Amino acid sequence: MTSRYSNLERPGLDGNGLREALCHPHGPYGRLDLVEATGSTNTDLAHHSVEEPREWPDLSVLTAEEQTAGRGRLDRIWTAPERSSLFVSVLLRPHNPEGRPLPTQSYAWMSLLAALALSESIEERTEISPQLKWPNDVHVDGRKLAGVLAQLVPGANAEPPAVVVGAGVNVSLTDQELPVPSATSLLLEYATTTDRNILLKAYLRRLSAHYGEFTAVDGDATRPWKDGTSLLARVSERMVTLGQEVQADLPNGTVITGRAMNLDSHGALVVRDEEGERHTVSAGDVVHLRPLTL
């Protein structure tokens, strides 16, 4: 994808500086690789984790200046001009502090955990306050700023599966470069910074902190963290979907319309229909309708 911006106006990521700040011994990450271009950081990192498991430990990072075949949920395409966005995937091999693997049902929270970390880090660095749209989008006033996609990766030698969590953030995209009219970018939202090095470090630090808290409570989103909050409470507080009239289009063709009430302990969306029946939506595409009026 071409852009009217030059590489000088969109400076590159500093791989050495990122590794120095984020990787052992100065940070929690086991590895950070930066590539100029790739089809998909998620696909590549998932492949590396299976083919070279010892070289890609827990909290390994792959980031790219350009992604040419990125995919979101439901196989939606995610592309952007070189250096205009953040494309980053993180490999998680979740164990609690005693070394016990987390229950695999807790993996459903990984995309929400990453989306929370992303929205909080953006707010910290840019003074923009993004909201979450279930299950894995980051929005600003109804416009999509970023997306998160998690995928399971088979474990090696009877090890439990790993998770690759990928994030794509529109950083310096102009109006003409947006993939759809309903999207936005940090530039268009007048962010106080569009420095991708600052933004990436902030996100990865917040992600590792939240991941550490989550693994410390054995992947139970209802259990409190050190500050007394829980992952369920923190995500729910920032979840703009809750309280809205929504339409859930499920993979089997079923359509559920009703009010989004809450998230359950596994991160699924609970929707109450017009008859008062509650439905638990764990997959599918949720489309926001008009907010309820009193």
Side-chain angles (χ1 to χ4, degrees), residues 56-266:
W56 295 86
D58 187 34
L59 288 172
S60 290
V61 180
L62 179 62
T63 186
E65 299 285 19
E66 184 179 17
Q67 186 169 256
T68 59
R71 295 280 177 176
R73 292 186 64 252
L74 307 179
D75 282 336
R76 293 181 179 125
I77 298 174
W78 185 293
T79 61
E82 181 184 6
R83 300 184 179 184
S84 68
S85 305
L86 282 178
F87 298 113
V88 57
S89 296
V90 180
L91 175 65
L92 306 175
R93 302 185 185 275
H95 291 70
N96 73 5
E98 288 73 45
R100 184 172 61 252
L102 263 58
T104 52
Q105 59 263 34
S106 70
Y107 288 19
W109 278 100
M110 293 304 181
S111 61
L112 285 168
L113 185 148
L116 175 68
L118 185 59
S119 63
E120 289 179 344
S121 65
I122 289 171
E123 183 170 4
E124 175 191 6
R125 292 299 181 182
T126 70
E127 299 181 8
I128 294 168
S129 298
Q131 303 89 36
L132 304 181
K133 173 181 176 286
W134 190 89
N136 56 1
D137 285 346
V138 178
H139 279 218
V140 178
D141 296 329
R143 297 179 297 275
K144 184 173 178 178
L145 176 68
V148 176
L149 184 67
Q151 65 184 80
L152 283 176
V153 180
N157 301 320
E159 287 289 315
V163 185
V164 171
V165 182
V169 185
N170 298 330
V171 178
S172 61
L173 291 171
T174 65
D175 279 320
Q176 295 75 25
E177 294 169 333
L178 292 175
V180 292
S182 58
T184 189
S185 70
L186 291 175
L187 176 71
L188 295 174
E189 297 297 327
Y190 303 101
T192 54
T193 183
T194 55
D195 186 322
R196 292 181 306 133
N197 289 288
I198 291 174
L199 296 166
L200 183 55
K201 282 188 284 188
Y203 165 58
L204 291 176
R205 284 170 174 156
R206 186 67 65 110
L207 176 62
S208 66
H210 286 0
Y211 178 59
E213 296 270 17
F214 188 58
T215 56
V217 296
D218 288 306
D220 185 343
T222 68
R223 287 177 57 184
W225 292 356
K226 291 176 183 177
D227 64 358
T229 65
S230 67
L231 178 59
L232 176 59
R234 292 177 77 137
V235 169
S236 298
E237 183 178 5
R238 198 174 281 261
M239 180 70 67
V240 70
T241 309
L242 301 181
Q244 287 203 34
E245 287 288 322
V246 298
Q247 176 179 305
D249 301 312
L250 305 186
N252 64 2
T254 301
V255 177
I256 298 172
T257 302
R259 176 183 270 191
M261 302 300 295
N262 59 273
L263 301 176
D264 74 4
S265 61
H266 300 296

